[in-house]
Amino acid sequence: AQTVTQSQPEMSVQEAETVTLSCTYDTSESDYYLFWYKQPPSRQMILVIRQEAYKQQNATENRFSVNFQKAAKSFSLKISDSQLGDAAMYFCAYNFGNEKLTFGTGTRLTIIP
Amino acid sequence: EAQVTQNPRYLITVTGKKLTVTCSQNMNHEYMSWYRQDPGLGLRQIYYSMNVEVTDKGDVPEGYKVSRKEKRNFPLILESPSPNQTSLYFCASSRVGRTDTQYFGPGTRLTVL
């Protein structure tokens, strides 16, 4: 069974600095999708970034980028120039086919002004 | 506006009193799913549906029922709620196809006393 592990329950970063959230996963598949979701205090699930496993190039979305290491089954999220609005719970998720998303346990990110 | 709606957003009930949480999407998506979110556990899938009249169990289906009589609606039914079903519930939908990302509803906070 696929599993997703986020080993950092909590992280903090100074405003304007860079922070990296870690995620590892376990799968026997070769073609799949990985996601980072943000959950602010409003509890809404917001897609931050997605990565297709067949693509070697790391995905980027403005200040958000990933470091996808397929052989190591690692999928970290880097947030550059952290802003107060980035404070949230971040979930890493895996998807193979469309049956479900398998989520990690989340990392709570605090931004220090 | 493309969206997934859930009702109610908040619900406090007592053990054994049947309840239904509704979920509706306006994007003509075939796939719909229910997740529950618990601290330290991330989101776990309860049930999913690939199309009308097609439903299947996720990882934590015990104590829940679903139905899919219309494409746009996917209600979650708790026939006899128990305190261990106190949780935050999310409905999600997407088109069938691996490149799609799931759209999440705003969440329903359920407390069973």
Side-chain angles (χ1 to χ4, degrees):
Chain A
Q2 294 85 10
T3 58
V4 177
T5 301
Q6 294 179 250
S7 59
Q8 305 155 315
E10 296 183 349
M11 292 279 287
S12 60
V13 63
Q14 292 282 147
E15 194 176 359
E17 295 297 308
T18 296
V19 64
T20 298
L21 308 184
S22 300
C23 173
T24 59
Y25 59 94
D26 185 29
T27 183
S28 57
E29 305 296 337
S30 60
D31 198 9
Y32 48 86
Y33 296 82
L34 296 163
F35 306 86
W36 278 99
Y37 281 88
K38 173 184 177 181
Q39 187 180 50
S42 67
R43 300 200 308 260
Q44 180 70 43
M45 294 294 286
I46 301 168
L47 178 65
V48 174
I49 200 164
R50 59 184 284 170
Q51 174 80 41
E52 290 91 337
Y54 67 86
K55 289 187 178 179
Q56 292 185 332
Q57 186 172 8
N58 289 324
T60 62
E61 288 287 343
N62 300 314
R63 297 182 296 106
F64 298 87
S65 62
V66 299
N67 183 6
F68 174 49
Q69 302 289 328
K70 191 172 184 180
K73 296 180 182 175
S74 172
F75 182 61
S76 60
L77 174 69
K78 185 172 82 171
I79 305 174
S80 303
D81 185 27
S82 299
Q83 301 175 358
L84 294 178
D86 295 333
M89 181 73 86
Y90 287 82
F91 291 99
C92 178
Y94 164 96
N95 173 247
F96 168 69
N98 202 44
E99 281 73 24
K100 70 177 180 181
L101 285 165
T102 299
F103 286 88
T105 53
T107 296
R108 183 172 301 282
L109 178 64
T110 301
I111 310 296
I112 303 168
Chain B
E1 178 189 358
Q3 62 181 350
V4 179
T5 57
Q6 294 178 227
N7 282 291
R9 296 288 311 280
Y10 301 90
L11 179 61
I12 300 174
T13 189
V14 295
T15 299
K17 186 176 181 180
K18 181 179 178 180
L19 67 92
T20 299
V21 183
T22 64
C23 172
S24 183
Q25 48 92 6
N26 63 359
M27 295 167 280
N28 202 37
H29 285 166
E30 299 89 357
Y31 178 83
M32 297 186 74
S33 179
W34 278 102
Y35 296 87
R36 61 177 288 174
Q37 181 182 350
D38 301 291
L41 296 177
L43 284 78
R44 296 174 293 167
Q45 190 183 54
I46 303 171
Y47 268 96
Y48 67 94
S49 169
M50 299 297 285
N51 213 325
V52 175
E53 301 291 0
V54 180
T55 63
D56 208 347
K57 297 177 180 179
D59 293 324
V60 288
E62 295 77 19
Y64 304 94
K65 286 177 57 178
V66 293
S67 68
R68 188 89 180 274
K69 293 183 169 53
E70 302 169 285
K71 198 172 186 179
R72 64 182 294 124
N73 296 323
F74 190 44
L76 180 69
I77 303 159
L78 285 72
E79 294 270 1
S80 182
S82 62
N84 65 12
Q85 293 178 298
T86 292
S87 187
L88 177 60
Y89 291 86
F90 286 98
C91 180
S93 75
S94 69
R95 287 186 290 125
V96 172
R98 296 175 57 189
T99 58
D100 271 314
T101 300
Q102 292 186 26
Y103 291 78
F104 282 84
T108 295
R109 169 67 71 186
L110 172 65
T111 301
V112 183
L113 301 175

